[in-house]
Amino acid sequence: MDNIAKKLEDIFTQSIAICFPLMSDTKAIIRPSSHADYQCNSAMAISQGMRKRGESIDPRSIADQLVKRLPQNDIVHEAQITGGFINIHLKQDFVCGKVLQLLKEEIHVSGDRQDRVVIDYSSPNIAKEMHVGHLRSTIIGDCIANVLEFLGHEVIRVNHLGDWGTQFGMLLAYLTEKYPDYLDKPPAIGDLQKFYQEAKKRFDDDVEFSKKAKECVVKLQSKDPKFYKAWQMICDISRKEFEIIYEMLDVKGLKEMGESFYQDMMVEVISDVKQKKLVSEDEGRLIMWPDPASIPLTLVKSDGGFTYDTSDLACIKYRIQEQKASRIIYVTDSGQETHIKGIKSAAILAGYLKPDEVNVQHVGFGVVTGAGGKKFKTRSGETVRLKELLDEGLERAGAKLREKERDKEMTAEELSVAQKAVAMGCIKYSDLAHERVKNYEFSFDRMLDDRGNTAVYLLYSLARINSIIRKANLDQSVETIAQQTQRLNLSHIRELRLAKGILKFPEIILQVADTLMPHYLCGYLFDLSVIFSEFYEQCYCIEKVRGSGDEEVFKVNYDRILLCEATARVLSKGLQLLGIKLVEKL
């Protein structure tokens, strides 16, 4: 699919170069418009540029010249001047041709360049259950990875597990204390969260246990076989729990590369920054100042242990030098912004990162709140467990479907598929539809509503469109009809509005890739669904006509059916990029 805004930018940029040679390096500014299909807003900027050169030309005169000297093209039907703005109307044949092209080919969008992207998201901690904060990182990260992959970037999805450090000394000390024969009889620690809490209490209350825990850390870091095996056992239990969550959310392709993966590299990093004289001692610690105004990184603790700073510096070095990333994206809560800025600055200082070659970005997000913006907690005041949240979503989605009597229209298997699609789709969409940097209020009632900007509304819209196509009872598949169609005839105002809405898809995808803000895609899909409803109300796709005698005869408007199919394809692709499962029946 072509980016029409970019095509218009090229056309009007050529006009600027023709009319104002001294401003030939000025790119045209093309924006969406409520008065036309697009708007060129370049006249004011050109006027200001000319004034700096000693020439005074008002914006309207500039707009007039740009319109008069537009290069020949097959896109612009009319360019109207309002003040210094140029309202652009697209040619009907161009719009129809592009929709037909979409139907004849796979939906494909490409950007200006192709990157090798390492995207770091989800990142739960071993021995701790995933909570709602991990939900946001997982959902947002997965969507951004989907979009970048769709645009042709090489994407490496990394799960940076918290699987190393002081807390494991605590866990291992408790394991050896509670299950002394764990090597011969591995315990089935079903509730690692409870096990962790018990170990933490012992660590906080008992000085001798605390010393023992620190000794266990040293043994683990030296890869003592006994303790290393115990650590692996704890990690395996956690992985199984994480996989249950990822299966429910349909998150795939995450490559586990936890803190332990960089253990040997941390030693090399410390040696390197010491050699480069980038570190100093402070009360027994080894610290590094990324820049004078920042918070120092603690690379080695007073007891000789490494920290998150150490592993993250080794990690960014590995991603640049070994994984050859040209773009690195960290998807974490906004509270990590200062830390990631520090790691980025330290990597530049150490010579690992060259900002003009590798783009390092932090995708921060706000917190999930309960009713009234309060902290999202259970009734007992505990952090909400992600598994329990997803289970409740499934239960509520099933109840909603039965309330609408879908169980009477579907098989048990179809109902189960729809239940999971609705539950997980609603949880994902509710998150992604909000501007990620802001907090958002979690509400099952709101996200399961089939009215408004929700996943349910979009899934129902898609199911409705597919139902319309099925009811047309076509002799051939809609794909075959599209391939055989030479020209699409769309002339009704609602037909053209829907067609133009469909063709904006590439612009939205590129906007999401540029800003890393998935809510733009959600807003677009909702708007497209609303435009489709307006089209369907006024433009009959299947009409009942009078036949001979009492016979009922139905007339199919093939151009409108093809427009329905184009809408369905774009909605489907958009929902898939959001990570939402599609269902045949709903």
Side-chain angles (χ1 to χ4, degrees):
M1 293 179 73
D2 291 326
N3 182 349
I4 296 172
K6 181 67 171 65
K7 282 182 167 291
L8 291 171
E9 179 190 290
D10 293 342
I11 291 166
F12 278 83
T13 297
Q14 289 177 51
S15 184
I16 291 171
I18 293 167
C19 298
F20 306 99
L22 294 176
M23 302 286 290
S24 60
D25 59 344
T26 303
K27 275 192 174 183
I29 303 167
I30 304 296
R31 296 283 184 266
S33 172
S34 56
H35 307 292
D37 297 322
Y38 292 89
Q39 192 174 75
C40 177
N41 298 347
S42 299
M44 184 65 73
I46 294 170
S47 177
Q48 290 171 349
M50 297 297 287
R51 195 176 298 119
K52 288 178 183 177
R53 288 180 164 84
E55 296 183 49
S56 182
I57 309 176
D58 68 277
R60 184 179 178 85
S61 298
I62 291 170
D64 186 55
Q65 290 186 56
L66 293 178
V67 169
K68 285 178 177 176
R69 304 189 72 177
L70 275 181
Q72 285 292 319
N73 65 87
D74 61 350
I75 302 177
V76 180
H77 167 64
E78 188 178 13
Q80 301 169 328
I81 299 167
T82 305
F85 301 106
I86 304 170
N87 291 323
I88 306 164
H89 299 269
L90 302 178
K91 287 182 178 179
Q92 185 175 317
D93 284 349
F94 171 79
V95 172
C96 294
K98 287 299 173 185
V99 172
L100 187 58
Q101 183 182 346
L102 179 157
L103 289 162
K104 289 176 183 281
E105 303 170 2
E106 288 289 324
I107 293 181
H108 175 74
V109 179
S110 59
D112 294 332
R113 52 174 284 177
Q114 303 297 297
D115 284 316
R116 185 176 172 87
V117 184
V118 172
I119 177 165
D120 175 334
Y121 64 98
S122 193
S123 307
N125 294 307
I126 293 293
K128 292 184 181 180
E129 287 194 278
M130 291 176 75
H131 55 73
V132 76
H134 296 118
L135 177 67
R136 292 216 76 187
S137 175
T138 306
I139 289 171
I140 294 168
D142 203 51
C143 174
I144 291 171
N146 291 341
V147 169
L148 294 177
E149 216 160 47
F150 174 65
L151 287 171
H153 299 287
E154 184 183 356
V155 178
I156 303 169
R157 304 163 186 247
V158 174
N159 199 359
H160 188 83
L161 293 181
D163 65 350
W164 204 253
T166 307
Q167 74 271 24
F168 285 94
M170 178 183 77
L171 290 168
L172 293 172
Y174 191 61
L175 180 72
T176 55
E177 179 181 274
K178 192 169 183 179
Y179 303 101
D181 58 348
Y182 70 91
L183 285 175
D184 298 320
K185 298 178 182 178
I189 309 172
D191 190 345
L192 263 183
Q193 184 84 357
K194 183 181 177 184
F195 185 82
Y196 183 93
Q197 290 167 349
E198 290 171 356
K200 182 73 167 65
K201 190 172 188 312
R202 292 276 287 119
F203 185 83
D204 293 339
D205 296 346
D206 189 326
V207 175
E208 287 304 313
F209 181 85
S210 177
K211 287 180 182 177
K212 183 181 175 183
K214 289 172 183 174
E215 291 169 3
C216 288
V217 172
V218 174
K219 290 177 180 177
L220 175 61
Q221 289 183 342
S222 62
K223 296 188 178 178
D224 178 293
K226 177 182 172 183
F227 288 90
Y228 198 75
K229 184 177 179 181
W231 169 77
Q232 287 178 316
M233 181 181 70
I234 292 171
C235 289
D236 287 342
I237 294 169
S238 272
R239 282 191 193 97
K240 289 174 184 174
E241 293 301 313
F242 298 156
E243 283 307 314
I244 293 171
I245 299 292
Y246 294 138
E247 192 279 328
M248 291 179 78
L249 290 171
D250 196 37
V251 170
K252 298 172 182 173
L254 260 175
K255 184 177 181 181
E256 182 186 315
M257 297 178 77
E259 291 166 16
S260 62
F261 180 81
Y262 306 99
Q263 178 66 16
D264 294 338
M265 300 174 215
M266 292 188 227
V267 178
E268 296 170 12
V269 164
I270 296 301
S271 174
D272 185 48
V273 293
K274 276 183 177 179
Q275 188 178 352
K276 292 173 180 174
K277 298 182 179 178
L278 299 174
V279 292
S280 58
E281 284 197 25
D282 179 74
E283 297 181 352
R285 300 177 303 151
L286 202 63
I287 64 171
M288 178 177 180
W289 291 88
D291 62 70
S294 68
I295 298 170
L297 302 181
T298 299
L299 299 183
V300 182
K301 295 186 293 184
S302 57
D303 63 3
F306 296 145
T307 69
Y308 294 127
D309 293 342
T310 329
S311 62
D312 283 346
L313 189 56
C315 173
I316 196 170
K317 179 176 183 285
Y318 178 82
R319 289 171 180 178
I320 294 166
Q321 295 182 356
E322 302 300 326
Q323 292 184 301
K324 308 296 182 186
S326 55
R327 190 175 180 185
I328 302 171
I329 301 171
Y330 294 89
V331 185
T332 72
D333 65 89
S334 296
Q336 294 292 315
E337 183 178 6
T338 300
H339 171 69
I340 290 169
K341 277 184 178 177
I343 295 298
K344 180 179 175 180
S345 297
I348 294 170
L349 190 62
Y352 308 147
L353 170 62
K354 295 178 180 177
D356 57 337
E357 294 179 5
V358 181
N359 183 15
V360 176
Q361 297 170 282
H362 176 225
V363 174
F365 52 82
V367 299
V368 181
T369 68
K374 295 179 181 178
K375 282 188 176 181
F376 194 50
K377 300 280 186 180
T378 63
R379 288 180 180 177
S380 60
E382 296 176 353
T383 301
V384 178
R385 295 184 176 190
L386 186 49
K387 177 66 166 57
E388 292 175 1
L389 186 80
L390 299 182
D391 285 341
E392 184 176 351
L394 279 169
E395 186 180 324
R396 285 179 178 248
K400 192 81 172 179
L401 290 168
R402 287 188 292 274
E403 180 188 312
K404 291 181 172 292
E405 299 188 336
R406 293 295 189 268
D407 53 325
K408 295 178 181 177
E409 301 172 16
M410 295 179 173
T411 65
E413 185 180 351
E414 287 172 340
L415 187 66
S416 176
V417 170
Q419 179 182 358
K420 183 178 177 183
V422 168
M424 299 305 117
C426 285
I427 290 170
K428 288 183 178 186
Y429 191 86
S430 183
D431 188 314
L432 297 171
H434 290 80
E435 190 175 347
R436 62 169 167 77
V437 294
K438 297 179 180 178
N439 299 344
Y440 90 92
E441 186 179 306
F442 192 96
S443 166
F444 274 121
D445 290 337
R446 193 158 50 243
M447 66 177 65
L448 286 166
D449 198 338
D450 56 9
R451 297 159 299 177
N453 189 9
T454 65
V456 183
Y457 177 79
L458 292 180
L459 287 169
Y460 273 125
S461 294
L462 182 57
R464 180 189 184 191
I465 296 168
N466 288 330
S467 175
I468 292 165
I469 296 169
R470 283 196 302 271
K471 285 177 182 176
N473 198 24
L474 304 172
D475 294 332
Q476 298 174 296
S477 70
V478 71
E479 291 83 6
T480 301
I481 292 169
Q483 292 297 333
Q484 293 173 352
T485 301
Q486 299 301 312
R487 188 174 185 277
L488 202 58
N489 295 300
L490 305 174
S491 57
H492 191 285
I493 188 172
R494 293 297 180 188
E495 293 175 334
L496 289 169
R497 184 161 185 248
L498 178 57
K500 290 170 184 177
I502 290 167
L503 297 181
K504 284 185 181 290
F505 183 66
E507 299 163 35
I508 300 299
I509 293 302
L510 291 167
Q511 184 181 23
V512 173
D514 182 51
T515 62
L516 304 179
M517 293 281 199
H519 74 280
Y520 288 122
L521 178 54
C522 296
Y524 165 77
L525 295 176
F526 174 65
D527 289 343
L528 188 64
S529 296
V530 171
I531 293 169
F532 177 83
S533 291
E534 293 169 350
F535 150 79
Y536 188 63
E537 285 171 8
Q538 295 188 27
C539 301
Y540 295 119
C541 298
I542 307 166
E543 295 182 70
K544 189 186 294 184
V545 296
R546 185 175 296 174
S548 57
D550 295 329
E551 183 186 4
E552 281 190 344
V553 178
F554 294 92
K555 177 188 173 185
V556 176
N557 186 317
Y558 285 91
D559 290 327
R560 289 175 179 174
I561 291 294
L562 290 175
L563 188 56
C564 288
E565 174 67 16
T567 308
R569 289 191 189 183
V570 168
L571 278 177
S572 297
K573 180 56 69 177
L575 287 168
Q576 287 170 340
L577 293 177
L578 293 175
I580 295 174
K581 274 268 193 184
L582 307 179
V583 283
E584 286 297 317
K585 292 180 72 175
L586 193 60

